[in-house]
Amino acid sequence: MDMSNPAVFVNAEFLKEHVGRKVRTVVQVMQSDGDKVIGKSTDEKELVVKGNPPNALSTFVEVIGIADTIQSIEAEIWTNFGDTFDVNSYDKVCRLANGDSKHLFI
Amino acid sequence: MYGGNNQFDGNAAFSGGGFMPSQATQTVGDHSFSPAKNRDSQTLIPLTVKQISEAFQSSDDKTNFLVDGVDVNNVKLVGILCNKVERVTDVSFGVDDGTGRLDCFRWVNEAVDTKEMEAVTNGMYVRVHGHLKGFHGKKQLMAYSVRPVDDYNEIAYHFAQVIYVHSYNSLRKQHDSSSMPSQVPSSAFNTPLKGYQASASNQFPGYSMDGIRGVDKMVLDYLQQPSCLALEKGVHRNQLVQQLQLPSEKISEALDSLESEGLIYTTIDEFHYKSTGNG
């Protein structure tokens, strides 16, 4: 078992608390360049995701990587989550995972 | 379904609590549960790898783990598959759910198992069900089901479920076995449900201030449940008193009133009633 590298569930709000750590979040792709993606977080704020996005991006993408600033993530893993996604539920889980239920996650 | 190994251990085979493991091998001597204990300890609990890392072994020699005071045997995880290594009789892999990475292995005795494992590859989100095992101090998951996640809402759902079950079990642990205030949703979880039977009464409308009419409806609703309709001799009057927790006179009045309206009838004797409707 390897507990050394957890990724914290974040939205734009919680990203600020975890700068420098490995995080995971889902963004809605608004704009995509070669080396970065501008996305809308699950709490409706803008986030920048840097790295090597895959060629074909679906509307919603999960990114796992290091939070390098309060508004951007250096992504290592990109996973297409499809074109429909319940942003609300994911956001609620983020809040719980950073709140009362934090001990279940990190 | 149980082929591959010649020993058919009835106890282990039917102790799946809804899941029938395709491998009949239960290598770590966990055969001899008593039937009552079997049902309780074979529930399926959604967990994070972090929770598993903190689970401690109960004092049994049965290598059971405890999480939030609950015996954990069957575990459900959702995470990214990694380090997949295929061998002749088994496949080992890791599941990384963001809280940690757990080592897992799956026996592949039959074509069904091999096929299932071929469908999952490194980097893919999977849903894994398995038994938690301790091996030389290390925890491992002996998986019996590994399936790709198709709808990514499942991730949020799984973690929400983890949080819920944790709250439920922790509160239950605090209150010992006093039944939960009626927040328990009906059938979503297979958490050990000793307190659940007691909450069945919460399904019925509260005692109505309309007097007779309210009680009539309660009695009729009860008798129209599929489980009661299925009983050939119907339901005894005393059972109604007990289940609906109402005074015997009120029940009697309701029964007489319903009977005179042709909504219920007596069966083997004057104490057993059945609904005339099909519910």
PDB file of all heavy atoms in Angstrom, chain A residues 50-86:
ATOM      1  N   LYS A  50      -2.158  23.607 -16.949  1.00  0.00           N
ATOM      2  CA  LYS A  50      -0.992  23.555 -17.840  1.00  0.00           C
ATOM      3  C   LYS A  50      -0.550  22.107 -18.015  1.00  0.00           C
ATOM      4  O   LYS A  50      -0.842  21.248 -17.206  1.00  0.00           O
ATOM      5  CB  LYS A  50       0.164  24.344 -17.225  1.00  0.00           C
ATOM      6  CG  LYS A  50      -0.195  25.777 -16.921  1.00  0.00           C
ATOM      7  CD  LYS A  50       0.914  26.432 -16.121  1.00  0.00           C
ATOM      8  CE  LYS A  50       0.459  27.755 -15.547  1.00  0.00           C
ATOM      9  NZ  LYS A  50       1.334  28.192 -14.445  1.00  0.00           N
ATOM     10  N   GLY A  51       0.200  21.900 -19.071  1.00  0.00           N
ATOM     11  CA  GLY A  51       0.728  20.553 -19.277  1.00  0.00           C
ATOM     12  C   GLY A  51       0.510  20.131 -20.708  1.00  0.00           C
ATOM     13  O   GLY A  51       0.432  20.967 -21.598  1.00  0.00           O
ATOM     14  N   ASN A  52       0.404  18.831 -20.905  1.00  0.00           N
ATOM     15  CA  ASN A  52       0.184  18.327 -22.266  1.00  0.00           C
ATOM     16  C   ASN A  52      -1.200  17.737 -22.388  1.00  0.00           C
ATOM     17  O   ASN A  52      -1.396  16.548 -22.173  1.00  0.00           O
ATOM     18  CB  ASN A  52       1.223  17.238 -22.594  1.00  0.00           C
ATOM     19  CG  ASN A  52       2.609  17.819 -22.708  1.00  0.00           C
ATOM     20  OD1 ASN A  52       2.799  18.902 -23.252  1.00  0.00           O
ATOM     21  ND2 ASN A  52       3.589  17.097 -22.189  1.00  0.00           N
ATOM     22  N   PRO A  53      -2.151  18.577 -22.738  1.00  0.00           N
ATOM     23  CA  PRO A  53      -3.499  18.002 -22.858  1.00  0.00           C
ATOM     24  C   PRO A  53      -3.538  16.999 -24.008  1.00  0.00           C
ATOM     25  O   PRO A  53      -2.827  17.172 -24.996  1.00  0.00           O
ATOM     26  CB  PRO A  53      -4.389  19.221 -23.168  1.00  0.00           C
ATOM     27  CG  PRO A  53      -3.467  20.315 -23.569  1.00  0.00           C
ATOM     28  CD  PRO A  53      -2.131  20.016 -23.024  1.00  0.00           C
ATOM     29  N   PRO A  54      -4.338  15.981 -23.894  1.00  0.00           N
ATOM     30  CA  PRO A  54      -4.477  15.051 -25.014  1.00  0.00           C
ATOM     31  C   PRO A  54      -5.137  15.766 -26.186  1.00  0.00           C
ATOM     32  O   PRO A  54      -5.787  16.795 -26.006  1.00  0.00           O
ATOM     33  CB  PRO A  54      -5.400  13.952 -24.465  1.00  0.00           C
ATOM     34  CG  PRO A  54      -6.057  14.548 -23.292  1.00  0.00           C
ATOM     35  CD  PRO A  54      -5.176  15.618 -22.755  1.00  0.00           C
ATOM     36  N   ASN A  55      -4.970  15.205 -27.389  1.00  0.00           N
ATOM     37  CA  ASN A  55      -5.484  15.884 -28.579  1.00  0.00           C
ATOM     38  C   ASN A  55      -6.982  16.064 -28.555  1.00  0.00           C
ATOM     39  O   ASN A  55      -7.501  17.120 -28.885  1.00  0.00           O
ATOM     40  CB  ASN A  55      -5.097  15.094 -29.846  1.00  0.00           C
ATOM     41  CG  ASN A  55      -3.630  15.261 -30.127  1.00  0.00           C
ATOM     42  OD1 ASN A  55      -3.055  16.295 -29.770  1.00  0.00           O
ATOM     43  ND2 ASN A  55      -3.019  14.260 -30.730  1.00  0.00           N
ATOM     44  N   ALA A  56      -7.655  14.997 -28.151  1.00  0.00           N
ATOM     45  CA  ALA A  56      -9.114  15.094 -28.148  1.00  0.00           C
ATOM     46  C   ALA A  56      -9.589  15.280 -26.719  1.00  0.00           C
ATOM     47  O   ALA A  56      -9.446  14.394 -25.884  1.00  0.00           O
ATOM     48  CB  ALA A  56      -9.703  13.809 -28.718  1.00  0.00           C
ATOM     49  N   LEU A  57     -10.155  16.440 -26.471  1.00  0.00           N
ATOM     50  CA  LEU A  57     -10.660  16.705 -25.122  1.00  0.00           C
ATOM     51  C   LEU A  57     -12.171  16.706 -25.143  1.00  0.00           C
ATOM     52  O   LEU A  57     -12.781  17.328 -26.006  1.00  0.00           O
ATOM     53  CB  LEU A  57     -10.202  18.095 -24.656  1.00  0.00           C
ATOM     54  CG  LEU A  57      -8.772  18.256 -24.136  1.00  0.00           C
ATOM     55  CD1 LEU A  57      -8.463  19.715 -23.915  1.00  0.00           C
ATOM     56  CD2 LEU A  57      -8.593  17.477 -22.841  1.00  0.00           C
ATOM     57  N   SER A  58     -12.774  16.037 -24.160  1.00  0.00           N
ATOM     58  CA  SER A  58     -14.234  16.111 -24.088  1.00  0.00           C
ATOM     59  C   SER A  58     -14.589  17.385 -23.319  1.00  0.00           C
ATOM     60  O   SER A  58     -13.706  18.108 -22.860  1.00  0.00           O
ATOM     61  CB  SER A  58     -14.793  14.878 -23.394  1.00  0.00           C
ATOM     62  OG  SER A  58     -14.252  14.758 -22.106  1.00  0.00           O
ATOM     63  N   THR A  59     -15.870  17.646 -23.165  1.00  0.00           N
ATOM     64  CA  THR A  59     -16.297  18.886 -22.504  1.00  0.00           C
ATOM     65  C   THR A  59     -15.778  18.963 -21.075  1.00  0.00           C
ATOM     66  O   THR A  59     -15.331  20.000 -20.610  1.00  0.00           O
ATOM     67  CB  THR A  59     -17.835  18.964 -22.475  1.00  0.00           C
ATOM     68  OG1 THR A  59     -18.328  18.726 -23.786  1.00  0.00           O
ATOM     69  CG2 THR A  59     -18.306  20.314 -21.985  1.00  0.00           C
ATOM     70  N   PHE A  60     -15.844  17.829 -20.396  1.00  0.00           N
ATOM     71  CA  PHE A  60     -15.387  17.811 -19.009  1.00  0.00           C
ATOM     72  C   PHE A  60     -14.142  16.955 -18.913  1.00  0.00           C
ATOM     73  O   PHE A  60     -14.078  15.863 -19.485  1.00  0.00           O
ATOM     74  CB  PHE A  60     -16.476  17.251 -18.091  1.00  0.00           C
ATOM     75  CG  PHE A  60     -17.663  18.152 -17.986  1.00  0.00           C
ATOM     76  CD1 PHE A  60     -18.767  17.925 -18.794  1.00  0.00           C
ATOM     77  CD2 PHE A  60     -17.676  19.225 -17.109  1.00  0.00           C
ATOM     78  CE1 PHE A  60     -19.869  18.759 -18.724  1.00  0.00           C
ATOM     79  CE2 PHE A  60     -18.772  20.062 -17.035  1.00  0.00           C
ATOM     80  CZ  PHE A  60     -19.879  19.834 -17.843  1.00  0.00           C
ATOM     81  N   VAL A  61     -13.173  17.480 -18.201  1.00  0.00           N
ATOM     82  CA  VAL A  61     -11.909  16.757 -18.082  1.00  0.00           C
ATOM     83  C   VAL A  61     -11.481  16.737 -16.615  1.00  0.00           C
ATOM     84  O   VAL A  61     -11.554  17.765 -15.929  1.00  0.00           O
ATOM     85  CB  VAL A  61     -10.811  17.474 -18.905  1.00  0.00           C
ATOM     86  CG1 VAL A  61      -9.457  16.848 -18.662  1.00  0.00           C
ATOM     87  CG2 VAL A  61     -11.148  17.426 -20.381  1.00  0.00           C
ATOM     88  N   GLU A  62     -11.012  15.570 -16.163  1.00  0.00           N
ATOM     89  CA  GLU A  62     -10.455  15.550 -14.826  1.00  0.00           C
ATOM     90  C   GLU A  62      -8.948  15.698 -14.963  1.00  0.00           C
ATOM     91  O   GLU A  62      -8.326  15.057 -15.818  1.00  0.00           O
ATOM     92  CB  GLU A  62     -10.742  14.229 -14.095  1.00  0.00           C
ATOM     93  CG  GLU A  62     -10.296  14.313 -12.635  1.00  0.00           C
ATOM     94  CD  GLU A  62     -10.122  12.958 -11.970  1.00  0.00           C
ATOM     95  OE1 GLU A  62      -9.543  12.052 -12.582  1.00  0.00           O
ATOM     96  OE2 GLU A  62     -10.584  12.827 -10.810  1.00  0.00           O
ATOM     97  N   VAL A  63      -8.379  16.563 -14.133  1.00  0.00           N
ATOM     98  CA  VAL A  63      -6.925  16.703 -14.161  1.00  0.00           C
ATOM     99  C   VAL A  63      -6.368  16.418 -12.780  1.00  0.00           C
ATOM    100  O   VAL A  63      -6.947  16.799 -11.763  1.00  0.00           O
ATOM    101  CB  VAL A  63      -6.493  18.118 -14.618  1.00  0.00           C
ATOM    102  CG1 VAL A  63      -6.866  18.334 -16.066  1.00  0.00           C
ATOM    103  CG2 VAL A  63      -7.109  19.198 -13.768  1.00  0.00           C
ATOM    104  N   ILE A  64      -5.250  15.725 -12.782  1.00  0.00           N
ATOM    105  CA  ILE A  64      -4.560  15.434 -11.521  1.00  0.00           C
ATOM    106  C   ILE A  64      -3.147  15.956 -11.679  1.00  0.00           C
ATOM    107  O   ILE A  64      -2.460  15.618 -12.654  1.00  0.00           O
ATOM    108  CB  ILE A  64      -4.529  13.922 -11.247  1.00  0.00           C
ATOM    109  CG1 ILE A  64      -5.955  13.371 -11.217  1.00  0.00           C
ATOM    110  CG2 ILE A  64      -3.818  13.639  -9.934  1.00  0.00           C
ATOM    111  CD1 ILE A  64      -6.031  11.869 -11.033  1.00  0.00           C
ATOM    112  N   GLY A  65      -2.731  16.803 -10.745  1.00  0.00           N
ATOM    113  CA  GLY A  65      -1.384  17.349 -10.862  1.00  0.00           C
ATOM    114  C   GLY A  65      -1.076  18.243  -9.685  1.00  0.00           C
ATOM    115  O   GLY A  65      -1.813  18.281  -8.687  1.00  0.00           O
ATOM    116  N   ILE A  66       0.016  18.986  -9.799  1.00  0.00           N
ATOM    117  CA  ILE A  66       0.431  19.855  -8.697  1.00  0.00           C
ATOM    118  C   ILE A  66      -0.185  21.249  -8.886  1.00  0.00           C
ATOM    119  O   ILE A  66      -0.146  21.805  -9.987  1.00  0.00           O
ATOM    120  CB  ILE A  66       1.973  20.020  -8.660  1.00  0.00           C
ATOM    121  CG1 ILE A  66       2.656  18.661  -8.694  1.00  0.00           C
ATOM    122  CG2 ILE A  66       2.405  20.830  -7.433  1.00  0.00           C
ATOM    123  CD1 ILE A  66       2.504  17.851  -7.435  1.00  0.00           C
ATOM    124  N   ALA A  67      -0.728  21.781  -7.789  1.00  0.00           N
ATOM    125  CA  ALA A  67      -1.292  23.136  -7.856  1.00  0.00           C
ATOM    126  C   ALA A  67      -0.119  24.094  -7.800  1.00  0.00           C
ATOM    127  O   ALA A  67       0.566  24.195  -6.775  1.00  0.00           O
ATOM    128  CB  ALA A  67      -2.213  23.355  -6.671  1.00  0.00           C
ATOM    129  N   ASP A  68       0.148  24.782  -8.906  1.00  0.00           N
ATOM    130  CA  ASP A  68       1.320  25.656  -8.831  1.00  0.00           C
ATOM    131  C   ASP A  68       0.987  27.086  -8.403  1.00  0.00           C
ATOM    132  O   ASP A  68       1.825  27.770  -7.837  1.00  0.00           O
ATOM    133  CB  ASP A  68       2.155  25.600 -10.112  1.00  0.00           C
ATOM    134  CG  ASP A  68       1.365  25.937 -11.349  1.00  0.00           C
ATOM    135  OD1 ASP A  68       0.129  26.117 -11.251  1.00  0.00           O
ATOM    136  OD2 ASP A  68       1.972  26.037 -12.423  1.00  0.00           O
ATOM    137  N   THR A  69      -0.216  27.566  -8.676  1.00  0.00           N
ATOM    138  CA  THR A  69      -0.616  28.865  -8.109  1.00  0.00           C
ATOM    139  C   THR A  69      -2.046  28.719  -7.606  1.00  0.00           C
ATOM    140  O   THR A  69      -2.634  27.648  -7.765  1.00  0.00           O
ATOM    141  CB  THR A  69      -0.594  29.996  -9.163  1.00  0.00           C
ATOM    142  OG1 THR A  69      -1.706  29.799 -10.064  1.00  0.00           O
ATOM    143  CG2 THR A  69       0.700  30.025  -9.946  1.00  0.00           C
ATOM    144  N   ILE A  70      -2.596  29.793  -7.077  1.00  0.00           N
ATOM    145  CA  ILE A  70      -3.968  29.690  -6.557  1.00  0.00           C
ATOM    146  C   ILE A  70      -4.998  29.546  -7.658  1.00  0.00           C
ATOM    147  O   ILE A  70      -6.169  29.300  -7.400  1.00  0.00           O
ATOM    148  CB  ILE A  70      -4.356  30.887  -5.668  1.00  0.00           C
ATOM    149  CG1 ILE A  70      -4.182  32.200  -6.439  1.00  0.00           C
ATOM    150  CG2 ILE A  70      -3.584  30.886  -4.374  1.00  0.00           C
ATOM    151  CD1 ILE A  70      -4.766  33.405  -5.702  1.00  0.00           C
ATOM    152  N   GLN A  71      -4.529  29.668  -8.882  1.00  0.00           N
ATOM    153  CA  GLN A  71      -5.510  29.588  -9.960  1.00  0.00           C
ATOM    154  C   GLN A  71      -5.106  28.618 -11.075  1.00  0.00           C
ATOM    155  O   GLN A  71      -5.777  28.550 -12.102  1.00  0.00           O
ATOM    156  CB  GLN A  71      -5.704  30.972 -10.561  1.00  0.00           C
ATOM    157  CG  GLN A  71      -7.147  31.301 -10.837  1.00  0.00           C
ATOM    158  CD  GLN A  71      -7.268  32.585 -11.639  1.00  0.00           C
ATOM    159  OE1 GLN A  71      -6.310  33.363 -11.761  1.00  0.00           O
ATOM    160  NE2 GLN A  71      -8.421  32.816 -12.204  1.00  0.00           N
ATOM    161  N   SER A  72      -4.015  27.904 -10.860  1.00  0.00           N
ATOM    162  CA  SER A  72      -3.593  27.006 -11.934  1.00  0.00           C
ATOM    163  C   SER A  72      -3.014  25.707 -11.414  1.00  0.00           C
ATOM    164  O   SER A  72      -2.540  25.608 -10.283  1.00  0.00           O
ATOM    165  CB  SER A  72      -2.570  27.711 -12.830  1.00  0.00           C
ATOM    166  OG  SER A  72      -1.372  27.914 -12.101  1.00  0.00           O
ATOM    167  N   ILE A  73      -3.093  24.722 -12.292  1.00  0.00           N
ATOM    168  CA  ILE A  73      -2.599  23.385 -11.950  1.00  0.00           C
ATOM    169  C   ILE A  73      -1.662  22.907 -13.052  1.00  0.00           C
ATOM    170  O   ILE A  73      -1.948  23.085 -14.244  1.00  0.00           O
ATOM    171  CB  ILE A  73      -3.785  22.387 -11.861  1.00  0.00           C
ATOM    172  CG1 ILE A  73      -4.755  22.813 -10.766  1.00  0.00           C
ATOM    173  CG2 ILE A  73      -3.291  20.970 -11.623  1.00  0.00           C
ATOM    174  CD1 ILE A  73      -6.026  21.989 -10.733  1.00  0.00           C
ATOM    175  N   GLU A  74      -0.574  22.316 -12.660  1.00  0.00           N
ATOM    176  CA  GLU A  74       0.346  21.691 -13.594  1.00  0.00           C
ATOM    177  C   GLU A  74      -0.065  20.222 -13.667  1.00  0.00           C
ATOM    178  O   GLU A  74       0.258  19.449 -12.769  1.00  0.00           O
ATOM    179  CB  GLU A  74       1.781  21.843 -13.049  1.00  0.00           C
ATOM    180  CG  GLU A  74       2.871  21.321 -13.954  1.00  0.00           C
ATOM    181  CD  GLU A  74       3.088  22.190 -15.188  1.00  0.00           C
ATOM    182  OE1 GLU A  74       3.267  23.414 -15.027  1.00  0.00           O
ATOM    183  OE2 GLU A  74       3.081  21.634 -16.297  1.00  0.00           O
ATOM    184  N   ALA A  75      -0.775  19.875 -14.724  1.00  0.00           N
ATOM    185  CA  ALA A  75      -1.407  18.551 -14.737  1.00  0.00           C
ATOM    186  C   ALA A  75      -0.489  17.453 -15.246  1.00  0.00           C
ATOM    187  O   ALA A  75       0.255  17.639 -16.209  1.00  0.00           O
ATOM    188  CB  ALA A  75      -2.664  18.584 -15.599  1.00  0.00           C
ATOM    189  N   GLU A  76      -0.541  16.291 -14.569  1.00  0.00           N
ATOM    190  CA  GLU A  76       0.211  15.121 -15.029  1.00  0.00           C
ATOM    191  C   GLU A  76      -0.724  14.141 -15.713  1.00  0.00           C
ATOM    192  O   GLU A  76      -0.369  13.473 -16.672  1.00  0.00           O
ATOM    193  CB  GLU A  76       0.864  14.427 -13.824  1.00  0.00           C
ATOM    194  CG  GLU A  76       1.915  15.298 -13.168  1.00  0.00           C
ATOM    195  CD  GLU A  76       2.128  14.968 -11.692  1.00  0.00           C
ATOM    196  OE1 GLU A  76       1.508  14.011 -11.169  1.00  0.00           O
ATOM    197  OE2 GLU A  76       2.913  15.670 -11.051  1.00  0.00           O
ATOM    198  N   ILE A  77      -1.916  14.026 -15.150  1.00  0.00           N
ATOM    199  CA  ILE A  77      -2.870  13.056 -15.705  1.00  0.00           C
ATOM    200  C   ILE A  77      -4.134  13.777 -16.152  1.00  0.00           C
ATOM    201  O   ILE A  77      -4.707  14.557 -15.397  1.00  0.00           O
ATOM    202  CB  ILE A  77      -3.249  12.004 -14.643  1.00  0.00           C
ATOM    203  CG1 ILE A  77      -2.001  11.311 -14.123  1.00  0.00           C
ATOM    204  CG2 ILE A  77      -4.224  10.973 -15.216  1.00  0.00           C
ATOM    205  CD1 ILE A  77      -2.266  10.353 -12.984  1.00  0.00           C
ATOM    206  N   TRP A  78      -4.527  13.516 -17.377  1.00  0.00           N
ATOM    207  CA  TRP A  78      -5.761  14.079 -17.917  1.00  0.00           C
ATOM    208  C   TRP A  78      -6.702  12.932 -18.224  1.00  0.00           C
ATOM    209  O   TRP A  78      -6.307  11.968 -18.872  1.00  0.00           O
ATOM    210  CB  TRP A  78      -5.487  14.811 -19.237  1.00  0.00           C
ATOM    211  CG  TRP A  78      -4.466  15.895 -19.185  1.00  0.00           C
ATOM    212  CD1 TRP A  78      -3.116  15.750 -19.058  1.00  0.00           C
ATOM    213  CD2 TRP A  78      -4.707  17.297 -19.310  1.00  0.00           C
ATOM    214  NE1 TRP A  78      -2.492  16.970 -19.079  1.00  0.00           N
ATOM    215  CE2 TRP A  78      -3.438  17.942 -19.242  1.00  0.00           C
ATOM    216  CE3 TRP A  78      -5.851  18.069 -19.487  1.00  0.00           C
ATOM    217  CZ2 TRP A  78      -3.313  19.323 -19.320  1.00  0.00           C
ATOM    218  CZ3 TRP A  78      -5.721  19.454 -19.578  1.00  0.00           C
ATOM    219  CH2 TRP A  78      -4.452  20.063 -19.488  1.00  0.00           C
ATOM    220  N   THR A  79      -7.961  13.055 -17.765  1.00  0.00           N
ATOM    221  CA  THR A  79      -8.926  11.998 -18.100  1.00  0.00           C
ATOM    222  C   THR A  79     -10.197  12.642 -18.637  1.00  0.00           C
ATOM    223  O   THR A  79     -10.794  13.488 -17.968  1.00  0.00           O
ATOM    224  CB  THR A  79      -9.304  11.170 -16.852  1.00  0.00           C
ATOM    225  OG1 THR A  79      -8.131  10.760 -16.175  1.00  0.00           O
ATOM    226  CG2 THR A  79     -10.119   9.951 -17.235  1.00  0.00           C
ATOM    227  N   ASN A  80     -10.578  12.259 -19.824  1.00  0.00           N
ATOM    228  CA  ASN A  80     -11.826  12.778 -20.396  1.00  0.00           C
ATOM    229  C   ASN A  80     -13.010  12.230 -19.634  1.00  0.00           C
ATOM    230  O   ASN A  80     -13.163  11.011 -19.512  1.00  0.00           O
ATOM    231  CB  ASN A  80     -11.940  12.375 -21.874  1.00  0.00           C
ATOM    232  CG  ASN A  80     -11.109  13.271 -22.759  1.00  0.00           C
ATOM    233  OD1 ASN A  80     -10.849  14.426 -22.432  1.00  0.00           O
ATOM    234  ND2 ASN A  80     -10.665  12.737 -23.891  1.00  0.00           N
ATOM    235  N   PHE A  81     -13.845  13.127 -19.138  1.00  0.00           N
ATOM    236  CA  PHE A  81     -15.017  12.690 -18.395  1.00  0.00           C
ATOM    237  C   PHE A  81     -16.298  12.789 -19.209  1.00  0.00           C
ATOM    238  O   PHE A  81     -17.384  12.671 -18.673  1.00  0.00           O
ATOM    239  CB  PHE A  81     -15.148  13.526 -17.107  1.00  0.00           C
ATOM    240  CG  PHE A  81     -14.488  12.904 -15.905  1.00  0.00           C
ATOM    241  CD1 PHE A  81     -13.458  11.989 -16.050  1.00  0.00           C
ATOM    242  CD2 PHE A  81     -14.887  13.242 -14.623  1.00  0.00           C
ATOM    243  CE1 PHE A  81     -12.854  11.412 -14.938  1.00  0.00           C
ATOM    244  CE2 PHE A  81     -14.285  12.674 -13.507  1.00  0.00           C
ATOM    245  CZ  PHE A  81     -13.269  11.762 -13.670  1.00  0.00           C
ATOM    246  N   GLY A  82     -16.150  13.038 -20.477  1.00  0.00           N
ATOM    247  CA  GLY A  82     -17.331  13.034 -21.342  1.00  0.00           C
ATOM    248  C   GLY A  82     -17.960  14.413 -21.465  1.00  0.00           C
ATOM    249  O   GLY A  82     -17.425  15.410 -20.981  1.00  0.00           O
ATOM    250  N   ASP A  83     -19.119  14.423 -22.127  1.00  0.00           N
ATOM    251  CA  ASP A  83     -19.762  15.702 -22.399  1.00  0.00           C
ATOM    252  C   ASP A  83     -20.881  16.031 -21.433  1.00  0.00           C
ATOM    253  O   ASP A  83     -21.421  17.128 -21.438  1.00  0.00           O
ATOM    254  CB  ASP A  83     -20.267  15.720 -23.850  1.00  0.00           C
ATOM    255  CG  ASP A  83     -19.110  15.589 -24.824  1.00  0.00           C
ATOM    256  OD1 ASP A  83     -18.033  16.127 -24.522  1.00  0.00           O
ATOM    257  OD2 ASP A  83     -19.274  14.939 -25.868  1.00  0.00           O
ATOM    258  N   THR A  84     -21.257  15.039 -20.637  1.00  0.00           N
ATOM    259  CA  THR A  84     -22.255  15.342 -19.607  1.00  0.00           C
ATOM    260  C   THR A  84     -21.661  14.939 -18.273  1.00  0.00           C
ATOM    261  O   THR A  84     -21.027  13.887 -18.148  1.00  0.00           O
ATOM    262  CB  THR A  84     -23.557  14.552 -19.816  1.00  0.00           C
ATOM    263  OG1 THR A  84     -23.231  13.167 -19.892  1.00  0.00           O
ATOM    264  CG2 THR A  84     -24.264  14.966 -21.081  1.00  0.00           C
ATOM    265  N   PHE A  85     -21.845  15.793 -17.311  1.00  0.00           N
ATOM    266  CA  PHE A  85     -21.269  15.520 -16.008  1.00  0.00           C
ATOM    267  C   PHE A  85     -22.026  16.318 -14.970  1.00  0.00           C
ATOM    268  O   PHE A  85     -22.412  17.465 -15.211  1.00  0.00           O
ATOM    269  CB  PHE A  85     -19.788  15.936 -16.022  1.00  0.00           C
ATOM    270  CG  PHE A  85     -19.046  15.587 -14.765  1.00  0.00           C
ATOM    271  CD1 PHE A  85     -18.736  14.258 -14.485  1.00  0.00           C
ATOM    272  CD2 PHE A  85     -18.657  16.560 -13.872  1.00  0.00           C
ATOM    273  CE1 PHE A  85     -18.056  13.923 -13.319  1.00  0.00           C
ATOM    274  CE2 PHE A  85     -17.982  16.236 -12.708  1.00  0.00           C
ATOM    275  CZ  PHE A  85     -17.675  14.910 -12.433  1.00  0.00           C
ATOM    276  N   ASP A  86     -22.249  15.718 -13.827  1.00  0.00           N
ATOM    277  CA  ASP A  86     -22.990  16.424 -12.776  1.00  0.00           C
ATOM    278  C   ASP A  86     -22.014  17.232 -11.940  1.00  0.00           C
ATOM    279  O   ASP A  86     -21.434  16.740 -10.962  1.00  0.00           O
ATOM    280  CB  ASP A  86     -23.748  15.403 -11.916  1.00  0.00           C
ATOM    281  CG  ASP A  86     -24.631  16.072 -10.884  1.00  0.00           C
ATOM    282  OD1 ASP A  86     -24.517  17.297 -10.684  1.00  0.00           O
ATOM    283  OD2 ASP A  86     -25.446  15.359 -10.273  1.00  0.00           O
TER     284      ASP A  86
END
